[in-house]
């Protein structure tokens, strides 16, 4: 199974110290590993992550070597108490939290404006396989363009998305690119900090990257055994 994995650059370095074979794409850098998956440093934010992923997927399709699955992996904030620092979360819904309009009555998602989408749903069997292999908890992972930095904002997000376990900045962009190519997508996050008041002293990026690296070791063989027809 050929798999595209948009990940954060530090996670690539820790999970694959040799770096693999580098493939330069327009505006993106891809690592081709001996493990049978390609790793893409997708960049920060949904726009760059989506553009980078779309570039990699299009290049693969034009080269007659299309991917079968896209995995978005990285670190993120966790909603207490359900996703503590150091834990893993796998998305059963990849939802963009701030795409829409602010009104006097509150936030309206873009779907209520009559267009677009706000959620991509990974195959349930794929979520189960990933959760069982890594010990991750399954729930909604929010994509935001601005990291949450106040308790009020965290409460607002949780009120609108009661199943939210984590927030990141890339998953929805990656899912949009995968969806455009008709590919299933999975998002996994290692929690580096609580969602809420911005406190850099409370961040545990090293611990989160270590957890993500360990998860990759368990996830790869599990993905090889996943059968996409299980959901049909």
């Amino acid at each position: 199974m050929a798999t595209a994995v948009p990940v954060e650059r530090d996670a690539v370095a820790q999970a694959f110290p040799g770096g693999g074979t580098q493939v330069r794409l327009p505006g993106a850098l891809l690592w081709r590993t001996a493990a049978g998956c390609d790793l893409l440093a997708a960049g920060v934010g949904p726009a760059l992550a989506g553009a980078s992923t779309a570039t990699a997927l299009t290049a693969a399709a034009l080269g007659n070597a299309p991917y079968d699955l896209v995995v978005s992996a990285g670190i993120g904030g966790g909603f207490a108490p359900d996703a503590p620092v150091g834990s893993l979360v796998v998305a059963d819904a990849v939802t963009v939290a701030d795409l829409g309009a602010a009104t006097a009555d509150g936030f309206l998602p873009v779907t209520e404006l009559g267009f677009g989408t706000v959620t991509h749903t990974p195959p349930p069997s794929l979520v189960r396989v990933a959760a069982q292999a890594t010990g991750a908890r399954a729930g909604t992972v929010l994509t935001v363009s601005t990291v949450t930095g106040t308790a009020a904002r965290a409460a607002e997000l949780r009120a609108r998305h009661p199943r939210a376990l984590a927030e990141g900045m890339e998953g929805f962009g990656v899912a949009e690119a995968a969806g455009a190519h008709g590919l299933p997508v999975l998002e996994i996050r290692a929690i580096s900090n609580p969602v809420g008041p911005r406190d850099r002293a409370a961040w545990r990026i090293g611990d989160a990257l270590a957890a993500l690296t360990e998860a990759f070791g368990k996830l790869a063989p599990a993905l090889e055994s996943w059968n996409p027809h299980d959901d049909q």
Side-chain angles (χ1 to χ4, degrees), residues 6-105:
V7 297
E8 298 182 1
R9 187 179 299 270
D10 288 345
V12 173
Q14 290 197 27
F16 298 91
T21 302
Q22 292 188 3
V23 179
R24 292 199 173 275
L25 300 171
L29 184 61
L30 180 144
W31 282 262
R32 185 147 290 150
T33 76
C37 64
D38 288 352
L39 300 176
L40 180 71
V44 177
L48 182 55
S52 299
T53 303
T55 296
L57 297 181
T58 300
L62 293 176
N64 294 317
Y67 296 107
D68 302 305
L69 169 67
V70 179
V71 180
S72 176
I75 62 176
F79 286 93
D82 300 315
V85 172
S87 66
L88 294 167
V89 171
V90 61
D92 59 16
V94 181
T95 298
V96 61
D98 49 14
L99 181 61
T103 75
D105 296 320

Side-chain angles (χ1 to χ4, degrees), residues 133-217:
T134 63
R137 184 169 183 177
T140 300
V141 175
L142 303 179
T143 298
V144 295
S145 294
T146 301
V147 174
T148 298
T150 66
R153 173 64 172 167
E156 176 194 348
L157 288 175
R158 201 67 186 277
R160 286 200 280 118
H161 306 281
R163 294 187 66 256
L165 294 180
E167 73 169 22
M169 300 183 74
E170 293 78 34
F172 186 79
V174 173
E176 287 275 78
H181 283 260
L183 296 174
V185 67
L186 181 72
E187 182 176 10
I188 185 167
R189 292 275 166 183
I191 303 305
S192 59
N193 58 278
V195 176
R198 185 173 174 82
D199 179 9
R200 288 296 299 269
W203 291 12
R204 298 292 182 267
I205 293 177
D207 292 343
L209 287 174
L212 186 62
T213 301
E214 182 179 355
F216 262 103

